[in-house]
Amino acid sequence: EAGVTQFPSHSVIEKGQTVTLRCDPISGHDNLYWYRRVMGKEIKFLLHFVKESKQDESGMPNNRFLAERTGGTYSTLKVQPAELEDSGVYFCASSQTYYGYTFGSGTRLTVV
Amino acid sequence: TQLLEQSPQFLSIQEGENLTVYCNSSSVFSSLQWYRQEPGEGPVLLVTVVTGGEVKKLKRLTFQFGDARKDSSLHITAAQPGDTGLYLCAGEDYKLSFGAGTTVTVRA
Protein backbone atom coordinates (compact mmCIF):
# COMPACT_ATOMS: atom_id res chain seq x y z
CA GLU A 1 0.00 0.00 0.00
CA ALA A 2 1.11 3.57 -0.59
CA GLY A 3 2.55 5.29 2.46
CA VAL A 4 1.87 8.72 3.88
CA THR A 5 2.78 11.36 1.33
CA GLN A 6 3.79 14.89 2.21
CA PHE A 7 4.62 17.80 -0.03
CA PRO A 8 6.48 19.86 -0.57
CA SER A 9 9.51 18.09 0.87
CA HIS A 10 11.24 21.44 1.35
CA SER A 11 9.98 25.01 1.48
CA VAL A 12 11.91 28.22 1.99
CA ILE A 13 9.82 31.33 2.53
CA GLU A 14 10.32 34.81 3.85
CA LYS A 15 9.01 35.95 7.17
CA GLY A 16 5.45 37.21 6.76
CA GLN A 17 4.62 34.97 3.81
CA THR A 18 2.10 32.15 3.77
CA VAL A 19 2.91 28.47 3.33
CA THR A 20 0.60 25.50 2.95
CA LEU A 21 1.76 21.98 3.67
CA ARG A 22 -0.17 18.98 2.42
CA CYS A 23 -0.47 15.45 3.72
CA ASP A 24 -2.08 12.47 1.99
CA PRO A 25 -2.64 9.70 4.54
CA ILE A 26 -2.83 5.99 3.88
CA SER A 27 -6.18 5.26 2.29
CA GLY A 28 -8.75 4.20 4.87
CA HIS A 29 -6.89 5.63 7.86
CA ASP A 30 -9.36 7.69 9.86
CA ASN A 31 -6.72 9.16 12.18
CA LEU A 32 -4.40 11.86 10.86
CA TYR A 33 -1.84 13.69 12.95
CA TRP A 34 0.51 16.62 12.50
CA TYR A 35 3.77 16.78 14.42
CA ARG A 36 6.68 19.20 14.32
CA ARG A 37 10.34 19.10 15.19
CA VAL A 38 12.10 22.41 15.63
CA MET A 39 15.88 22.60 15.75
CA GLY A 40 17.36 20.85 18.76
CA LYS A 41 14.01 19.84 20.21
CA GLU A 42 12.00 16.66 20.31
CA ILE A 43 9.14 15.92 17.93
CA LYS A 44 5.98 17.53 19.29
CA PHE A 45 2.30 16.92 18.64
CA LEU A 46 0.31 19.63 16.87
CA LEU A 47 -3.13 18.19 16.23
CA HIS A 48 -5.22 15.12 15.53
CA PHE A 49 -8.06 14.59 13.06
CA VAL A 50 -10.54 11.74 13.16
CA LYS A 51 -11.94 11.71 9.66
CA GLU A 52 -12.71 15.38 8.98
CA SER A 53 -13.14 16.42 12.62
CA LYS A 54 -10.46 17.96 14.82
CA GLN A 55 -10.19 15.63 17.79
CA ASP A 56 -7.37 17.42 19.59
CA GLU A 57 -5.63 20.64 18.58
CA SER A 58 -3.96 21.30 21.90
CA GLY A 59 -0.49 21.36 20.35
CA MET A 60 -1.13 24.12 17.83
CA PRO A 61 1.27 26.95 18.73
CA ASN A 62 -1.01 29.91 17.95
CA ASN A 63 -3.70 31.14 15.59
CA ARG A 64 -1.26 31.59 12.73
CA PHE A 65 -1.60 27.85 12.17
CA LEU A 66 -4.71 26.49 10.48
CA ALA A 67 -5.27 22.84 9.72
CA GLU A 68 -8.03 21.34 7.62
CA ARG A 69 -8.93 17.89 6.45
CA THR A 70 -11.16 17.84 3.43
CA GLY A 71 -13.76 15.07 3.36
CA GLY A 72 -11.68 13.02 5.73
CA THR A 73 -9.00 12.46 3.11
CA TYR A 74 -5.97 14.70 2.67
CA SER A 75 -5.04 17.44 5.13
CA THR A 76 -3.43 20.83 4.80
CA LEU A 77 -1.56 22.87 7.38
CA LYS A 78 -1.34 26.57 6.61
CA VAL A 79 0.99 28.96 8.37
CA GLN A 80 0.02 32.60 7.91
CA PRO A 81 1.98 34.78 8.40
CA ALA A 82 5.11 32.71 8.92
CA GLU A 83 7.61 33.68 11.60
CA LEU A 84 11.25 32.66 12.01
CA GLU A 85 10.42 30.32 14.91
CA ASP A 86 8.11 28.32 12.66
CA SER A 87 11.14 26.78 10.94
CA GLY A 88 11.41 23.05 11.44
CA VAL A 89 10.34 19.72 10.03
CA TYR A 90 6.62 19.08 9.91
CA PHE A 91 5.56 15.45 9.97
CA CYS A 92 2.20 13.96 9.16
CA ALA A 93 1.18 10.53 10.41
CA SER A 94 -1.88 8.37 9.91
CA SER A 95 -3.24 5.33 11.67
CA GLN A 96 -6.26 3.11 11.85
CA THR A 97 -5.60 2.27 15.50
CA TYR A 98 -3.50 3.94 18.17
CA TYR A 99 -0.86 1.23 17.93
CA GLY A 100 0.23 1.58 14.36
CA TYR A 101 1.32 5.02 13.27
CA THR A 102 2.84 5.56 9.82
CA PHE A 103 4.76 8.76 9.31
CA GLY A 104 5.44 10.66 6.14
CA SER A 105 8.93 11.85 5.23
CA GLY A 106 8.15 15.35 6.44
CA THR A 107 8.27 18.88 5.07
CA ARG A 108 11.34 20.90 6.00
CA LEU A 109 10.19 24.50 6.39
CA THR A 110 12.73 27.29 6.55
CA VAL A 111 11.55 30.82 7.27
CA VAL A 112 14.15 33.48 6.48
CA THR B 1 9.00 19.67 30.90
CA GLN B 2 10.14 16.66 28.92
CA LEU B 3 8.06 13.61 29.77
CA LEU B 4 10.41 11.03 28.25
CA GLU B 5 14.15 11.05 28.87
CA GLN B 6 16.36 9.02 26.56
CA SER B 7 19.95 8.05 27.24
CA PRO B 8 22.55 8.19 26.00
CA GLN B 9 22.08 11.04 23.56
CA PHE B 10 24.80 9.67 21.25
CA LEU B 11 26.27 6.20 20.91
CA SER B 12 29.08 5.14 18.59
CA ILE B 13 30.17 1.51 18.50
CA GLN B 14 32.07 -0.94 16.31
CA GLU B 15 30.26 -3.46 14.14
CA GLY B 16 29.57 -6.63 16.11
CA GLU B 17 29.29 -4.94 19.50
CA ASN B 18 26.11 -4.77 21.56
CA LEU B 19 24.31 -1.62 22.62
CA THR B 20 21.46 -0.56 24.88
CA VAL B 21 19.33 2.57 24.69
CA TYR B 22 17.15 3.64 27.62
CA CYS B 23 13.88 5.50 27.84
CA ASN B 24 12.46 6.73 31.15
CA SER B 25 9.08 8.35 31.51
CA SER B 26 7.70 10.59 34.22
CA SER B 27 4.22 9.38 33.35
CA VAL B 28 2.48 6.12 32.59
CA PHE B 29 1.16 5.98 29.04
CA SER B 30 -1.29 3.61 27.40
CA SER B 31 1.59 2.18 25.40
CA LEU B 32 5.20 2.92 24.67
CA GLN B 33 6.50 2.81 21.12
CA TRP B 34 10.00 2.68 19.67
CA TYR B 35 10.80 4.26 16.33
CA ARG B 36 13.86 4.49 14.13
CA GLN B 37 14.43 7.51 11.93
CA GLU B 38 16.93 7.96 9.13
CA PRO B 39 18.01 11.32 7.65
CA GLY B 40 15.34 12.85 5.41
CA GLU B 41 12.73 10.31 6.43
CA GLY B 42 9.98 10.12 9.01
CA PRO B 43 10.09 7.86 12.08
CA VAL B 44 9.38 4.19 11.36
CA LEU B 45 7.62 2.16 14.03
CA LEU B 46 9.69 -0.74 15.37
CA VAL B 47 7.57 -2.03 18.22
CA THR B 48 4.75 -1.20 20.62
CA VAL B 49 4.86 -2.41 24.23
CA VAL B 50 1.81 -2.29 26.43
CA THR B 51 2.14 -4.63 29.40
CA GLY B 52 4.52 -4.09 32.33
CA GLY B 53 7.39 -6.58 32.21
CA GLU B 54 6.82 -7.25 28.53
CA VAL B 55 9.76 -8.34 26.38
CA LYS B 56 9.57 -8.27 22.58
CA LYS B 57 12.17 -9.42 20.10
CA LEU B 58 12.61 -8.26 16.55
CA LYS B 59 15.54 -10.18 15.02
CA ARG B 60 18.60 -8.73 16.80
CA LEU B 61 16.56 -6.09 18.65
CA THR B 62 15.15 -6.78 22.11
CA PHE B 63 12.69 -4.39 23.73
CA GLN B 64 11.88 -4.46 27.44
CA PHE B 65 9.13 -2.63 29.29
CA GLY B 66 9.54 -2.09 33.02
CA ASP B 67 7.08 -3.52 35.51
CA ALA B 68 5.88 -0.02 36.45
CA ARG B 69 5.38 0.79 32.75
CA LYS B 70 7.57 3.88 33.06
CA ASP B 71 10.91 2.70 31.72
CA SER B 72 11.92 0.82 28.63
CA SER B 73 15.08 -0.29 26.90
CA LEU B 74 16.16 -1.27 23.43
CA HIS B 75 19.05 -3.71 23.15
CA ILE B 76 20.76 -4.47 19.86
CA THR B 77 22.91 -7.57 19.64
CA ALA B 78 25.86 -7.73 17.23
CA ALA B 79 25.15 -4.31 15.76
CA GLN B 80 25.59 -3.78 12.04
CA PRO B 81 26.19 -0.57 10.05
CA GLY B 82 22.60 -0.82 8.85
CA ASP B 83 21.44 -0.25 12.44
CA THR B 84 22.79 3.30 12.28
CA GLY B 85 20.04 5.85 12.86
CA LEU B 86 18.09 7.91 15.36
CA TYR B 87 16.14 5.79 17.83
CA LEU B 88 13.12 7.42 19.41
CA CYS B 89 10.81 6.30 22.16
CA ALA B 90 7.31 7.71 22.38
CA GLY B 91 4.52 7.41 24.92
CA GLU B 92 1.06 7.07 23.48
CA ASP B 93 -2.17 8.45 24.95
CA TYR B 94 -4.26 9.11 21.81
CA LYS B 95 -1.23 11.07 20.62
CA LEU B 96 2.50 10.57 20.87
CA SER B 97 4.95 12.27 23.21
CA PHE B 98 8.48 11.73 21.98
CA GLY B 99 11.81 11.58 23.70
CA ALA B 100 14.70 13.56 22.22
CA GLY B 101 16.21 10.43 20.68
CA THR B 102 19.48 8.53 20.71
CA THR B 103 21.74 8.82 17.68
CA VAL B 104 23.39 5.44 17.07
CA THR B 105 26.39 5.09 14.78
CA VAL B 106 27.73 1.63 14.00
CA ARG B 107 31.20 1.74 12.42
CA ALA B 108 32.22 -0.95 9.95
Side-chain angles (χ1 to χ4, degrees), chain B residues 74-94:
Chain B
L74 157 61
H75 182 80
I76 301 179
T77 304
Q80 299 175 0
D83 295 323
T84 292
L86 175 66
Y87 290 82
L88 298 158
C89 67
E92 182 273 317
D93 260 339
Y94 303 107

Side-chain angles (χ1 to χ4, degrees), chain B residues 34-66:
Chain B
W34 283 93
Y35 291 81
R36 183 176 142 205
Q37 185 180 12
E38 298 192 39
E41 300 295 327
V44 175
L45 180 65
L46 297 174
V47 78
T48 299
V49 286
V50 178
T51 306
E54 188 173 2
V55 177
K56 283 193 173 179
K57 292 193 175 184
L58 187 67
K59 296 183 181 178
R60 294 176 294 99
L61 277 61
T62 301
F63 303 86
Q64 291 189 307
F65 202 19

Side-chain angles (χ1 to χ4, degrees), chain A residues 29-44:
Chain A
H29 280 193
D30 290 338
N31 295 288
L32 187 149
Y33 306 82
W34 284 97
Y35 288 84
R36 177 176 76 168
R37 168 179 258 155
V38 296
M39 182 75 75
K41 301 284 189 179
E42 66 273 17
I43 298 173
K44 288 198 171 175

Side-chain angles (χ1 to χ4, degrees), chain A residues 54-66:
Chain A
K54 290 177 185 174
Q55 186 77 11
D56 181 355
E57 51 185 330
S58 61
M60 295 287 264
N62 50 61
N63 59 10
R64 295 185 294 102
F65 289 76
L66 175 64

Side-chain angles (χ1 to χ4, degrees), chain A:
Chain A
E1 65 179 0
V4 176
T5 305
Q6 291 186 248
F7 50 92
S9 57
H10 293 83
S11 180
V12 181
I13 62 170
E14 292 184 351
K15 176 182 171 181
Q17 289 187 323
T18 298
V19 63
T20 300
L21 315 181
R22 173 166 168 152
C23 169
D24 287 86
I26 291 174
S27 178
H29 280 193
D30 290 338
N31 295 288
L32 187 149
Y33 306 82
W34 284 97
Y35 288 84
R36 177 176 76 168
R37 168 179 258 155
V38 296
M39 182 75 75
K41 301 284 189 179
E42 66 273 17
I43 298 173
K44 288 198 171 175
F45 167 81
L46 295 178
L47 89 159
H48 171 204
F49 283 100
V50 176
K51 297 185 179 178
E52 67 274 12
S53 299
K54 290 177 185 174
Q55 186 77 11
D56 181 355
E57 51 185 330
S58 61
M60 295 287 264
N62 50 61
N63 59 10
R64 295 185 294 102
F65 289 76
L66 175 64
E68 296 179 325
R69 188 176 183 191
T70 306
T73 56
Y74 71 91
S75 175
T76 58
L77 179 64
K78 180 190 287 188
V79 185
Q80 178 183 29
E83 298 288 345
L84 298 178
E85 64 264 24
D86 300 332
S87 295
V89 182
Y90 290 76
F91 293 104
C92 174
S94 73
S95 72
Q96 192 60 300
T97 70
Y98 293 112
Y99 288 172
Y101 294 77
T102 302
F103 281 80
S105 296
T107 294
R108 181 173 295 279
L109 174 65
T110 303
V111 183
V112 297

